[in-house]
Amino acid sequence: MNNNETLHKSARHVLLAVLAVLPAAVSAGPSGQAMAFTCAGCHGTDGSSVGPSMPAIAGMDPEVFVDAMKAYREDERNASIMNRIAKAYSDEQLKEMGWFFASQRLNLFPQTYDAALAERGAQLHDEYCEKCHEKGGRPGDAGTLAGQWMPYLHYSMEDFLNGKRKWPRKMQRKVDAAIEAAGDTAIPALINYYGSQQ
């Protein structure tokens, strides 16, 4: 076999290898990062929201992200437009987006908070919330509370308390205990505490 035949045979093998993987590459669709760009208007390009009624989702546990998106998709979670948006994505696409946001660094923005309420909120957090929301509510498998926008936390708690959002396991019992201990100031105190965490 001469050099020319060897070259043609090698080129043919390379071409066959490319053709074999091309359908998989084409069918793979957009990356999690590309799909996440559709979230930028509300949640920021990296998941660090700059709008106080929109949650920051950078650094979020990917399973928490997927669970939230599935709840929106199934109309099990109160939303303005998220339920319509979530319906556009498959389970696999949600996982890819979740891993993208999990890999992003959470950038927090200073908020105005009541120092006395935040101090009481720190005590309530330590007693009732720390077990699930570890390290003062830092990103984890129970979501992100530390540094989260206070208006968003307020709206979320209203949804839980008004029955518009399903309570996660054990959360209602803990919130009820905090309210019993601190009365009407319990929720504002916790919100101010989380808002104070940078």
Side-chain angles (χ1 to χ4, degrees):
M1 185 181 293
N2 63 35
N3 286 345
N4 204 17
E5 289 174 333
T6 303
L7 183 61
H8 285 296
K9 189 173 183 180
S10 296
R12 185 170 60 240
H13 288 151
V14 170
L15 180 59
L16 287 172
V18 168
L19 290 174
V21 294
L22 187 59
V26 170
S27 67
S31 68
Q33 180 178 12
M35 289 182 287
F37 287 148
T38 63
C39 310
C42 295
H43 298 283
T45 55
D46 61 354
S48 294
S49 170
V50 295
S53 63
M54 300 296 170
I57 55 178
M60 178 183 275
D61 183 284
E63 289 184 16
V64 173
F65 177 87
V66 170
D67 288 347
M69 292 296 283
K70 285 182 177 179
Y72 284 128
R73 191 172 66 191
E74 302 302 319
D75 295 317
E76 294 173 354
R77 187 164 170 175
N78 191 36
S80 51
I81 60 169
M82 281 305 303
N83 52 354
R84 286 180 286 168
I85 292 170
K87 285 175 173 46
Y89 297 102
S90 69
D91 288 358
E92 192 55 42
Q93 289 173 321
L94 294 178
K95 287 178 189 173
E96 290 181 29
M97 292 168 70
W99 280 109
F100 169 74
F101 285 120
S103 71
Q104 301 305 297
R105 182 178 177 274
L106 177 60
N107 296 304
L108 301 174
F109 300 92
Q111 300 181 71
T112 302
Y113 62 90
D114 182 303
L117 276 175
E119 184 177 343
R120 179 63 176 130
Q123 296 165 355
L124 291 169
H125 169 84
D126 288 346
E127 188 166 348
Y128 301 104
C129 310
E130 176 65 26
K131 187 171 181 180
C132 294
H133 297 283
E134 298 175 340
K135 300 176 186 170
R138 297 286 184 265
D141 62 4
T144 301
L145 297 178
Q148 190 65 267
W149 288 110
M150 290 165 57
Y152 168 73
L153 292 175
H154 171 76
Y155 300 138
S156 293
M157 286 308 301
E158 276 190 343
D159 284 347
F160 284 124
L161 293 167
N162 295 331
K164 293 181 180 177
R165 185 169 170 186
K166 185 179 176 183
W167 292 93
R169 190 173 66 87
K170 297 183 183 178
M171 182 178 167
Q172 184 172 13
R173 182 167 46 86
K174 295 291 190 177
V175 169
D176 287 347
I179 292 172
E180 187 176 340
D184 292 342
T185 64
I187 301 303
L190 285 164
I191 290 171
N192 276 269
Y193 167 65
Y194 295 127
S196 73
Q197 300 303 293
Q198 295 298 315

